[in-house]
Amino acid sequence: MDINYRDFVMQSMDGYALHKIICDKNGSPIDYIFLEVNTAFERYTGLESRKIIGKKLLKFFRKLRVIVLIGLPNMVKSLLAGKKKNLKVMLIR
C-alpha cells in the first residue's frame, strides 16, 4: 500500500497547520504566515482555511507570541483570539 504523507496529514483527525516563519532584520522569528491547514484544524479552531491562508498566526493566536519569540519547540495552551476555546498547540521549528 502506497500512502502519500501529505494526504495522510491532510486527512488526519489531528489539526495541522503549515507556516512560513517571518523574521526580523536580525533573523529572529517574530510571526508566522499560514500556508496550509487541514480540515481537522478548521474544525477544532473554527477558522476557515480560505480566511486564514496567507494571514499572520499572531492575529489568531495572540498568546503564542512568547513561543514565537523564543522559537523553541513547545507544547502550550493557547486561547484562540476572539473565541472561548482552549487548544493544545505544538510548534515545531
Side-chain angles (χ1 to χ4, degrees), residues 32-90:
Y32 298 86
I33 294 178
F34 283 99
L35 298 179
E36 76 179 9
V37 299
N38 68 1
T39 54
F41 179 91
E42 292 178 297
R43 187 171 52 253
Y44 295 139
T45 64
L47 300 172
E48 298 176 42
S49 62
R50 66 183 179 83
K51 293 182 179 178
I52 63 172
I53 300 301
K55 303 281 190 325
K56 293 180 180 179
L57 176 130
L58 293 179
K59 176 178 179 179
F60 303 98
F61 296 99
R62 293 184 196 131
K63 293 198 176 203
L64 292 181
R65 181 171 303 279
V66 172
I67 303 304
V68 170
L69 294 175
I70 295 171
L72 300 172
N74 271 292
M75 181 72 83
V76 297
K77 278 192 172 182
S78 174
L79 182 62
L80 186 62
K83 309 271 185 196
K84 299 224 182 230
K85 185 182 279 191
N86 284 311
L87 303 171
K88 286 187 179 178
V89 178
M90 178 178 282

Side-chain angles (χ1 to χ4, degrees), residues 14-26:
D14 292 324
Y16 160 82
L18 177 66
H19 302 94
K20 176 182 176 183
I21 299 173
I22 301 171
C23 296
D24 64 15
K25 63 181 179 180
N26 298 319

